[in-house]
């Protein structure tokens, strides 16, 4: 019977990982901020399929929160998270304090991926956010020293940014993208979904539906991407969404806007129901 370890400090984590590696085990890693749902658990399952031992981290990272984003109220549900991971027979949970990750405070050496990738889309309205993400992920990679790390496709820009960091810094880690976990009606699984009212929850799947409509049109030869995105935005507002932050068709690697389907594309959509911000995307492979 697997006995899940809960490790709060880097030193015992490294000792355990080193022992596993001496035995020839491969190490899979799933970094999270906790408040786990089935989408997270699907990443854990993929890590278990691809590696001998799996480490899941739970750390709410203050460095990626802006001044108007309340780090203090981010949901922290460690007891229920711990039970879910134990039920999945995860090998180890890394549950560090802020001081363990940032002993000198967050004004420390940071990792900056060029603004070509980080200054648009999510980064356009959240300055410094991706520096916080890449810095903590790089630190966690150095602490855990995994062979493979699993990230979900839902936070697509984050996935591209982390892949760029790993490539640019020559980190010896395989980044594996996991498909978006979805509810039965197509809504992308997210911790944010718990804040939707019953009425908003009925409206929310329309984001995925309209992104799928754009995908179908593109695959049918429609290259009027801007018109397709504008129509989808208007439809979301008509369906009851309160705001559309953006719907864009982008190059899947550079995240730059494109005008034709001659390379892999990603259709990215972010819209709001009340105060709840929903993200979704569809990847189109050429």
């Amino acid at each position: 019977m697997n006995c899940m370890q809960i490790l709060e400090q880097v030193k015992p984590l490294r000792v355990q990982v080193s022992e596993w590696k001496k035995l020839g085990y491969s190490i899979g890693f799933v970094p999270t901020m906790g408040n786990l749902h089935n989408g997270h658990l699907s990443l854990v399952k993929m890590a278990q399929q691809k590696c001998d031992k799996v480490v899941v981290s739970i750390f709410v990272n203050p460095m990626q929160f802006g001044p108007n984003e309340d780090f203090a109220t981010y949901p922290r549900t460690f007891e229920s998270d711990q039970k879910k991971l134990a039920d999945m027979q995860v090998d180890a949970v890394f549950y560090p304090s802020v001081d363990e990750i940032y002993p000198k405070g967050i004004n420390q050496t940071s990792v900056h991926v060029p603004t070509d990738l980080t200054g648009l889309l999510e980064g356009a309205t959240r300055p410094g956010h991706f520096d916080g993400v890449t810095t903590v992920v790089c630190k966690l990679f150095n602490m855990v020293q995994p062979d493979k790390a699993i990230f979900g496709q839902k936070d697509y820009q984050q996935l591209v940014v982390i892949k760029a960091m790993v490539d640019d810094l020559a980190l010896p880690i395989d980044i594996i993208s996991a498909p978006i976990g979805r509810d039965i009606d197509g809504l992308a699984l997210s911790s944010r979904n718990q804040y939707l009212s019953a009425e908003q929850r009925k409206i929310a799947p329309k984001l995925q539906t309209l992104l799928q409509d754009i995908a179908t049109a593109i695959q049918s030869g429609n290259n009027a991407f801007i018109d397709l995105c504008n129509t989808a935005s208007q439809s979301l507002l008509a369906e009851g969404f309160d705001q559309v932050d953006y719907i864009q068709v982008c190059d899947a690697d550079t995240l730059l806007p494109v005008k034709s389907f001659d390379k892999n594309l990603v259709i990215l959509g972010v819209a709001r129901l009340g105060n709840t911000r929903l993200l979704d995307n569809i990847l189109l492979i050429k």
Side-chain angles (χ1 to χ4, degrees), residues 25 42 70 84 86 144-145 198 221 273:
Y25 295 140
S42 70
D70 201 344
K84 290 172 183 175
V144 178
Q145 301 190 340
L273 284 166

Side-chain angles (χ1 to χ4, degrees), residues 202-216:
K202 292 177 185 175
I203 299 169
K206 297 292 184 181
L207 176 58
Q208 159 67 7
T209 301
L210 285 161
L211 294 183
Q212 191 61 59
D213 288 346
I214 295 174
T216 300

Side-chain angles (χ1 to χ4, degrees), residues 47-277:
Q48 290 175 323
Q49 291 169 343
K50 294 181 177 295
C51 296
D52 300 313
K53 298 290 182 180
V54 172
V55 178
V56 176
S57 65
I58 296 177
F59 178 66
V60 183
N61 176 34
M63 195 174 174
Q64 71 192 67
F65 285 78
N68 299 318
E69 300 169 356
D70 201 344
F71 165 75
T73 60
Y74 191 89
R76 291 160 170 85
T77 56
F78 182 66
E79 285 190 10
S80 63
D81 293 343
Q82 178 184 341
K83 184 178 186 308
K84 290 172 183 175
L85 295 173
D87 288 346
M88 292 193 71
Q89 299 189 351
V90 165
D91 299 287
V93 176
F94 183 41
Y95 183 52
S97 65
V98 172
D99 287 342
E100 184 71 13
I101 298 292
Y102 300 114
K104 299 177 183 177
I106 62 174
N107 185 26
Q108 54 132 66
T109 301
S110 62
V111 179
H112 172 74
V113 172
T115 51
D116 294 359
L117 283 178
T118 60
L120 67 174
L121 299 166
E122 293 298 287
T125 55
R126 303 178 72 187
H129 168 70
F130 282 113
D131 288 353
V133 171
T134 47
T135 298
V136 78
V137 169
C138 189
K139 292 196 78 160
L140 288 168
F141 283 171
N142 285 327
M143 292 170 174
V144 178
Q145 301 190 340
D147 299 293
K148 301 179 189 297
I150 317 296
F151 290 84
Q153 186 190 311
K154 185 173 75 68
D155 292 305
Y156 189 83
Q157 185 175 10
Q158 173 180 280
L159 175 66
V160 172
V161 167
I162 288 169
K163 283 181 175 178
M165 176 190 74
V166 167
D167 188 44
D168 292 349
L169 299 182
L171 301 180
I173 300 167
D174 291 333
I175 302 299
I176 298 173
S177 170
I180 298 174
R182 297 190 182 278
D183 218 325
I184 194 166
D185 57 5
L187 178 63
L189 295 175
S190 170
S191 300
R192 296 184 178 105
N193 295 350
Q194 65 189 310
Y195 301 120
L196 297 172
S197 69
E199 186 58 35
Q200 289 171 336
R201 180 61 186 79
K202 292 177 185 175
I203 299 169
K206 297 292 184 181
L207 176 58
Q208 159 67 7
T209 301
L210 285 161
L211 294 183
Q212 191 61 59
D213 288 346
I214 295 174
T216 300
I218 291 172
Q219 289 170 321
S220 300
N222 188 336
N223 285 332
F225 296 162
I226 292 175
D227 291 344
L228 289 171
C229 292
N230 287 340
T231 298
S233 295
Q234 293 303 315
S235 296
L236 283 175
L237 295 173
E239 292 281 4
F241 277 80
D242 296 293
Q243 181 180 327
V244 178
D245 287 10
Y246 58 81
I247 295 180
Q248 289 190 31
V249 180
C250 302
D251 182 296
D253 297 318
T254 67
L255 301 179
L256 295 174
V258 288
K259 295 183 178 179
S260 61
F261 186 19
D262 54 7
K263 57 185 72 175
N264 294 344
L265 304 180
V266 62
I267 308 163
L268 298 160
V270 178
R272 297 174 190 255
L273 284 166
N275 295 322
T276 305
R277 193 167 183 266

